[in-house]
Amino acid sequence: MVDVNRRRLLTGGAAALAAGAAVTQCGAAQSATPAGFGHTVEPYYGEHQGGIATPAQAHALFVALDLVPEGGRGARETLAAVLKLWSADAARLTQGRPALADTEPELAHRPARLTVSVGLGPALFERIGLAHRRPPTAIDMPAFRTDRLDRRFCGGDVLLQICADDPMVVAHTARVLLKNVRAMTVQRWRQSGFRTAHGADGSGATMRNLMGQVDGTSNLRTAAEFDRFVWDDGAGQPWFAGGTILVVRRIRAEMDTWDELDRASKEFAMGRRLDTGAPLTGTRESDPPDLQAQVNGIPVIPPNSHIALARPVHEGERFLRRPYNYDDPPAAGATTDSGLIFASYQRDPARQFVPVQQRLAGADAMNPWITTVGSATFAMLPGVAEGGWLGQGLFG
Amino acid sequence: MVDVNRRRLLTGGAAALAAGAAVTQCGAAQSATPAGFGHTVEPYYGEHQGGIATPAQAHALFVALDLVPEGGRGARETLAAVLKLWSADAARLTQGRPALADTEPELAHRPARLTVSVGLGPALFERIGLAHRRPPTAIDMPAFRTDRLDRRFCGGDVLLQICADDPMVVAHTARVLLKNVRAMTVQRWRQSGFRTAHGADGSGATMRNLMGQVDGTSNLRTAAEFDRFVWDDGAGQPWFAGGTILVVRRIRAEMDTWDELDRASKEFAMGRRLDTGAPLTGTRESDPPDLQAQVNGIPVIPPNSHIALARPVHEGERFLRRPYNYDDPPAAGATTDSGLIFASYQRDPARQFVPVQQRLAGADAMNPWITTVGSATFAMLPGVAEGGWLGQGLFG
């Protein structure tokens, strides 16, 4: 191979060699490399996959794939092969080591908190002959009144979620993981998202979405909260202990009409101030909203504002929000195609996510300005033990 | 408007108010904000537009627009209106101040070295009745043998180039600038690019592309080089002094076949080592390639390697390279759609860029693995003086 290519190079085309031409070289001398944040590493092995409790990285790519079993190989074997490959590659890439047979190893040295997280679609369990091992919480979402779903952003057998603080790392990781399984999969959809760049905001403040709102104030934070609301305890399927259910919704922001709305109306629709993110009854983002407060008999926070409806009616409705913004080329004639890749993680979406989303679909004052155009559910596998592989317990 | 919306909120839908429910609030107390790099500002006013000599930011968006003159307004007036709006908005946004009538002002406070750069397509000058004022260097590129152009990434009346170290800033700036001109323009194409995240690599090393190569070692660096090779001196059109010509090419990387190539062959095709970026005759990236060196009568750097052909045959072929990587959703059935948004800036592409590109199209050993699928040329306007507006001299 070397020789063939070498010969091709030596004989190919007109040799417009710049021999003897006056050529200057302006490269600066290379100096010792100070450490950037790119060397920061998230653990790969553990009870849970990374990319869920991990503080959100600046960039995320969500890729849904469908399995394409080859030849005599069944869907179950195909899935196992995909999961083994990804486990081996992700164990290395997340630690800043090139994947096995990585053809661009130089792109692997600064993982920038890379995490790779993998989930399985609810319908896949039956296809692989393991319907009896599906976690009972892994279900497709019901139709919500306000959904305007585009099949291009729905469903999928397998989800690959890649997050890092450097878009180069996300791109290289996606390349490695997707090409290694290309004979066994087809990509169904791909969504790329971002938050404020790592280090741009020194404060660690809650992210804003592209509508300008502080987004995700009320969220899970402690390990006890994750144990209670996010991580599966294995009661439904012992093999799934340590996993969780992801609901990923693509929510388009109707920026053209949103931008016509005056500021006060935007704040009433949300129930929070745009500047500080504080509830309309408070002064700081962290102030609890006072849904009882009235002025002249009128609620200060409208009862159909987003925060009034999105708040859990009881503790059991809490879940983890880990959203990313997207901003893609718009359709012909449109100005903007942006919005939120809303990713929520919970033990049981039917009890945690669905009731909240039903309230929002029914009455959220934000509804005129947000449209859900994509939806998918995935059973995010438990974490990998050293020497093991993703989803091993499902097959065991 | 406030009243109408307020009423709508109060009366809309079932009031699923979480009154009296047990609600916990986990927000951390807000602390004083340490400065992140987001507050770093690039100057707006000056002899040249930003985003050209500016050290490349981590994120870039290139949007080509066509003018759609409204009603009785001519193309020339339309263009002037667009340029005035953009000048006023960019002067504020680049300095971390919301645009006039910015509907998401909170997204404007950390510009992260935002630059906004505007150029005009060669054909536009005739359409606006100013053919006699077109810089003679502003020409469409000739067809190159290896071009496989897709009209979706070619041409355009006006280019808007937005660069910043934070993708949130790029998205917000694009939203503001594009919506303000939406009645006068249609978006023709949009390309989004990235480099290593700001701060991920502490070394300030030359960027890598997604093929794993160090990309852009040989580049212009000093003010004297910019004056000589980049900035127009007004000899052709006095109004254009301080401007430059951008050639932006979308170069798809044929990753599937590239990744099959062995490492030695990749290095012969480029003429540089993949690990250090050093020429095959050197040990450091900054070492000048020795194109005469031979081993057993065979050139160490193949004469049709990329660096041998891309190097200027004479000084007059030098130009500024300021490329970005792209990684977009692939076409159905494909694994990857990635490559380079190759942006080169020069006084006169016919004398600087074209001869180099003709050599490359004729014989570059990299040609089997790179395909140019988009091409456009823009006369990047001179900088704006305080109180003035972009392109004012063209109309004056």
Side-chain angles (χ1 to χ4, degrees):
Chain A
M1 184 66 166
V2 175
D3 286 341
V4 171
N5 280 289
R6 173 111 177 112
R7 205 172 313 125
R8 193 196 304 159
L9 294 174
L10 290 171
T11 56
L17 176 57
V23 168
T24 45
Q25 174 71 14
C26 303
Q30 285 176 316
S31 55
T33 305
F37 70 75
H39 293 283
T40 317
V41 164
E42 292 288 342
Y44 183 68
Y45 295 113
E47 196 181 347
H48 313 295
Q49 289 194 82
I52 300 167
T54 310
Q57 298 96 327
H59 298 271
L61 180 68
F62 297 84
V63 186
L65 302 100
D66 290 332
L67 294 181
V68 183
E70 302 171 282
R73 197 181 229 177
R76 195 194 303 188
E77 275 175 284
T78 303
L79 175 64
V82 168
L83 295 175
K84 284 176 192 172
L85 282 167
W86 283 353
S87 303
D89 287 343
R92 300 177 62 94
L93 289 168
T94 56
Q95 305 308 301
R97 294 156 59 208
L100 296 170
D102 196 325
T103 47
E104 285 80 30
E106 285 80 9
L107 300 182
H109 295 146
R110 287 192 304 261
R113 297 206 299 128
L114 171 66
T115 55
V116 173
S117 330
V118 176
L120 308 181
L124 180 63
F125 292 89
E126 180 152 359
R127 275 193 60 204
I128 60 175
L130 293 172
H132 58 290
R133 307 204 73 178
R134 180 177 59 78
T137 49
I139 54 160
D140 285 318
M141 289 298 96
F144 297 103
R145 196 180 64 83
T146 46
D147 287 354
R148 299 291 179 272
L149 299 183
D150 181 336
R151 289 186 48 162
R152 285 179 309 151
F153 299 113
C154 293
D157 284 345
V158 181
L159 179 80
L160 179 61
Q161 173 194 318
I162 301 170
C163 302
D165 280 328
D166 185 347
M168 288 295 292
V169 173
V170 173
H172 173 64
T173 303
R175 171 68 192 160
V176 170
L177 298 180
L178 292 171
K179 87 173 164 182
N180 284 353
V181 303
R182 68 186 159 194
M184 298 179 277
T185 59
V186 292
Q187 291 176 47
R188 187 182 175 102
W189 53 255
R190 186 191 280 233
Q191 300 186 51
S192 186
F194 57 86
R195 296 166 160 237
T196 300
H198 177 92
D201 172 14
S203 71
T206 307
M207 82 163 223
R208 285 185 189 269
N209 61 38
L210 292 171
M211 302 173 94
Q213 300 162 329
V214 173
D215 197 311
T217 301
S218 178
N219 219 340
L220 307 181
R221 286 178 176 83
T222 67
E225 288 171 333
F226 276 82
D227 282 340
R228 184 161 170 208
F229 300 114
V230 177
W231 305 126
D232 191 277
D233 61 4
Q237 288 287 353
W239 74 269
F240 195 59
T244 185
I245 309 294
L246 163 65
V247 177
V248 56
R249 315 256 301 166
R250 185 173 174 94
I251 304 178
R252 189 177 66 212
E254 307 298 347
M255 293 300 293
D256 289 347
T257 50
W258 176 250
D259 283 351
E260 286 170 1
L261 197 63
D262 64 282
R263 204 162 161 90
S265 299
K266 288 179 176 178
E267 294 184 335
F268 283 129
M270 189 52 149
R272 291 190 183 277
R273 291 185 205 291
L274 286 163
D275 53 1
T276 58
L280 297 181
T281 52
T283 55
R284 296 186 314 174
E285 184 193 341
S286 57
D287 289 341
D290 178 358
L291 299 171
Q292 311 303 316
Q294 299 193 346
V295 171
N296 299 328
I298 296 174
V300 176
I301 296 176
N304 64 332
S305 65
H306 186 78
I307 61 163
L309 294 176
R311 285 181 77 74
V313 168
H314 56 80
E315 274 271 287
E317 287 183 358
R318 298 182 64 200
F319 51 83
L320 175 69
R321 294 163 169 83
R322 201 174 188 275
Y324 283 89
N325 298 301
Y326 73 84
D327 184 37
D328 290 338
T335 304
T336 302
D337 180 15
S338 69
L340 212 59
I341 305 168
F342 180 86
S344 83
Y345 303 79
Q346 54 270 304
R347 285 169 73 147
D348 186 352
R351 296 160 58 110
Q352 295 167 274
F353 176 81
V354 169
V356 175
Q357 184 54 33
Q358 268 166 347
R359 284 200 299 276
L360 292 171
D364 185 1
M366 283 295 297
N367 282 342
W369 302 288
I370 54 176
T371 308
T372 301
V373 297
S375 183
T377 306
F378 298 96
M380 302 302 283
L381 297 166
V384 183
E386 210 155 342
W389 47 280
L390 272 170
Q392 191 168 7
L394 169 61
F395 299 87
Chain B
M1 184 68 163
V2 176
D3 285 343
V4 171
N5 280 290
R6 174 116 175 108
R7 207 172 309 125
R8 193 196 305 160
L9 294 175
L10 290 171
T11 56
L17 176 56
V23 168
T24 46
Q25 174 71 16
C26 303
Q30 284 174 317
S31 56
T33 305
F37 70 75
H39 293 284
T40 316
V41 164
E42 292 288 342
Y44 184 68
Y45 295 114
E47 196 181 347
H48 313 294
Q49 290 193 81
I52 300 167
T54 310
Q57 298 97 327
H59 298 272
L61 180 69
F62 297 83
V63 186
L65 302 100
D66 290 332
L67 293 181
V68 183
E70 302 172 281
R73 199 180 227 178
R76 193 193 305 188
E77 274 176 284
T78 303
L79 175 63
V82 167
L83 295 175
K84 284 176 192 173
L85 281 167
W86 282 353
S87 305
D89 286 343
R92 300 177 63 95
L93 289 168
T94 56
Q95 305 308 302
R97 294 156 57 208
L100 297 169
D102 196 325
T103 47
E104 285 80 31
E106 284 80 8
L107 299 183
H109 294 146
R110 287 191 305 263
R113 298 205 300 128
L114 171 67
T115 55
V116 173
S117 330
V118 176
L120 307 182
L124 181 63
F125 292 90
E126 179 152 1
R127 275 193 60 205
I128 60 174
L130 293 173
H132 59 289
R133 306 205 73 178
R134 179 178 59 78
T137 51
I139 54 160
D140 285 319
M141 288 299 94
F144 297 102
R145 195 179 64 85
T146 46
D147 287 355
R148 297 292 178 270
L149 300 182
D150 180 335
R151 289 185 48 162
R152 284 179 309 150
F153 299 114
C154 293
D157 285 345
V158 181
L159 179 81
L160 179 61
Q161 173 194 317
I162 301 170
C163 301
D165 281 327
D166 185 346
M168 288 294 293
V169 173
V170 172
H172 173 64
T173 303
R175 172 67 192 160
V176 170
L177 298 180
L178 292 171
K179 87 174 166 182
N180 284 352
V181 303
R182 68 186 159 195
M184 299 180 276
T185 58
V186 291
Q187 292 175 47
R188 187 183 176 102
W189 53 257
R190 187 192 281 232
Q191 299 186 53
S192 186
F194 56 86
R195 296 166 160 238
T196 299
H198 177 92
D201 171 13
S203 71
T206 307
M207 83 164 221
R208 285 186 189 268
N209 61 38
L210 292 171
M211 302 173 95
Q213 301 162 329
V214 172
D215 197 310
T217 301
S218 177
N219 219 339
L220 307 180
R221 287 178 176 82
T222 68
E225 288 172 332
F226 275 83
D227 283 341
R228 183 157 170 214
F229 300 114
V230 177
W231 305 126
D232 192 278
D233 62 4
Q237 288 288 352
W239 75 267
F240 195 58
T244 186
I245 308 296
L246 163 65
V247 177
V248 57
R249 316 254 304 164
R250 185 174 175 93
I251 304 178
R252 190 177 64 212
E254 306 299 346
M255 293 301 292
D256 288 346
T257 50
W258 176 249
D259 283 352
E260 286 171 2
L261 198 63
D262 65 282
R263 204 164 161 89
S265 299
K266 287 180 177 179
E267 294 184 335
F268 284 130
M270 189 53 153
R272 290 189 183 277
R273 292 186 204 291
L274 285 162
D275 54 359
T276 59
L280 297 182
T281 52
T283 56
R284 296 186 315 172
E285 183 193 339
S286 58
D287 289 341
D290 178 359
L291 299 171
Q292 310 305 316
Q294 299 192 347
V295 172
N296 299 328
I298 296 174
V300 177
I301 297 177
N304 64 332
S305 66
H306 185 78
I307 62 163
L309 295 176
R311 286 182 75 75
V313 168
H314 56 82
E315 273 273 287
E317 287 183 359
R318 299 181 64 200
F319 51 82
L320 175 70
R321 293 163 170 83
R322 200 174 190 277
Y324 283 88
N325 299 300
Y326 72 85
D327 184 37
D328 290 338
T335 303
T336 301
D337 180 15
S338 69
L340 212 59
I341 305 169
F342 180 86
S344 82
Y345 303 78
Q346 54 269 304
R347 284 168 76 146
D348 186 353
R351 296 160 58 111
Q352 295 167 274
F353 176 82
V354 170
V356 175
Q357 184 53 33
Q358 269 165 347
R359 283 200 300 276
L360 292 171
D364 185 2
M366 283 295 298
N367 282 343
W369 302 287
I370 55 176
T371 309
T372 301
V373 296
S375 183
T377 306
F378 298 96
M380 301 303 283
L381 296 166
V384 183
E386 208 155 344
W389 47 280
L390 271 170
Q392 191 168 7
L394 168 61
F395 300 88

